[in-house]
Amino acid sequence: QVQLVESGGGLGQAGGSLRLSCAVSGLTFSTLPMAWFRQVPGKDRAFVAYISSGGANTNYANSVKGRFTISRDDAKYTMFLQMNSLKPEDTAVYYCAVWTGGRYDYWGQGTQVTVSS
């Protein structure tokens, strides 16, 4: 059974930092690209960051580039999103996802991030 479990969300202050984690089970984690997305009420889920299998390649949405860092620890089957210089517009539910078979097939349940000004 595949499971993705996000953690680390909560309340942050503008200019502060939060670190999200995504623990994965039921998959061969090290061979799979992964990503973070976020969603605010009334809007579509939006891409935040991507990391390739092995971690050599990363990609970021323009809105978070230079502030967020995606990483992974294959030994611990865990992906991370370090979020620095937080802004109120970063407030959203953040989801991790795994890329298999040409699409993001598996998703976590989401973790709420709220940034106060």
Side-chain angles (χ1 to χ4, degrees), residues 30 32-34 50-58 70-74:
S30 62
L32 299 171
M34 296 192 65
Y50 162 91
I51 187 165
S52 63
S53 60
N57 296 308
T58 58
I70 189 171
S71 62
R72 62 193 295 160
D73 184 336
D74 287 349

Side-chain angles (χ1 to χ4, degrees), residues 40-116:
V40 298
K43 292 191 175 182
D44 292 336
R45 196 168 294 185
F47 168 78
V48 174
Y50 162 91
I51 187 165
S52 63
S53 60
N57 296 308
T58 58
N59 189 29
Y60 298 90
N62 287 335
S63 58
V64 306
K65 201 172 292 183
R67 299 187 299 120
F68 290 10
T69 302
I70 189 171
S71 62
R72 62 193 295 160
D73 184 336
D74 287 349
K76 295 182 178 179
Y77 278 53
T78 303
M79 177 179 67
F80 304 97
L81 185 68
Q82 178 67 43
M83 305 186 295
N84 298 329
S85 302
L86 287 166
K87 302 177 180 180
E89 51 264 43
D90 294 322
T91 296
V93 178
Y94 284 72
Y95 298 90
C96 61
V98 175
W99 180 271
T100 66
R103 62 179 185 177
Y104 290 105
D105 280 323
Y106 300 100
W107 295 81
Q109 81 288 351
T111 185
Q112 176 70 47
V113 171
T114 303
V115 182
S116 62

